[in-house]
Amino acid sequence: MRAVIQRVTSASVDVEKERVGEIKLGFMCLIGVMDGDTEADAQYIAKKITGLRVFEDNEDKMNLSLKDVGGSVLLVSQFTLAGDARKGNRPSFSTAARPEAAEPLFEKLKTMIEEAGIPVETGRFRTHMEVALVNDGPVTILLDSRREF
């Protein structure tokens, strides 16, 4: 499972001009479910999202988590995170999980984050979405449950 986590002061997602998710301070998380991902991958990503300490404390050090600052999460499924563009100019998405496997894992990830006490908003699975955000910092973290960067 791959995640792009952006610290934001606000983020929203619209589907067909309807606002389906919106947060203020927190994380905008783009989630790519890969073929072969399991609940353990979702657990890894959930633990990282809920535990990341990338908000400034009183000494301007990145030392606070979402819980510490009362933040929320906007989760958006993005199968293109599975894209491999190393050969040619058209990415291959062959490593993306099929929708029938990806959606339950995405929902499990959402539940895990909520169970940690973090409010979660989402986009709408398998739709064209328009995402807007104000990246604070900017701070962007890349996660992959199977690979270290």
Side-chain angles (χ1 to χ4, degrees):
M1 188 173 283
R2 292 183 178 158
V4 175
I5 301 169
Q6 296 179 291
R7 185 180 75 180
V8 298
T9 55
S10 64
S12 63
V13 59
D14 295 350
V15 175
E16 296 179 4
K17 303 202 185 304
E18 174 193 353
R19 178 78 25 104
V20 297
E22 182 174 25
I23 65 166
K24 298 295 181 199
L25 180 69
F27 291 154
M28 167 67 224
C29 300
L30 302 172
I31 304 297
V33 181
M34 310 293 288
D35 190 33
D37 279 348
T38 67
E39 193 170 308
D41 295 285
Q43 182 66 47
Y44 173 85
I45 297 295
K47 186 175 179 180
K48 286 293 189 180
I49 288 172
T50 58
L52 277 175
R53 296 180 355 197
V54 296
F55 294 92
E56 281 86 6
D57 62 17
N58 291 335
E59 297 177 8
D60 288 330
K61 291 184 180 180
M62 286 189 191
N63 201 27
L64 302 176
S65 69
L66 279 169
K67 279 187 183 181
D68 297 329
V69 299
S72 303
V73 169
L74 178 59
L75 279 183
V76 174
S77 176
Q78 187 176 357
F79 85 94
T80 60
L81 287 179
D84 183 351
R86 291 178 291 176
K87 295 181 182 178
N89 293 317
R90 184 175 182 271
S92 168
F93 301 106
S94 63
T95 59
R98 301 285 311 147
E100 52 275 4
E103 189 170 10
L105 275 177
F106 179 85
E107 291 298 324
K108 184 66 177 173
L109 174 64
K110 175 184 183 275
T111 300
M112 290 174 177
I113 295 168
E114 289 172 331
E115 287 173 348
I118 306 295
V120 179
E121 295 278 324
T122 65
R124 204 171 279 156
F125 203 83
R126 294 187 80 183
T127 64
H128 178 24
M129 294 175 272
E130 293 181 354
V131 178
L133 61 104
V134 178
N135 190 325
D136 181 28
V139 173
T140 302
I141 306 293
L142 302 175
L143 297 175
D144 189 318
S145 62
R146 299 187 201 175
R147 188 177 102 174
E148 293 184 22
F149 288 96

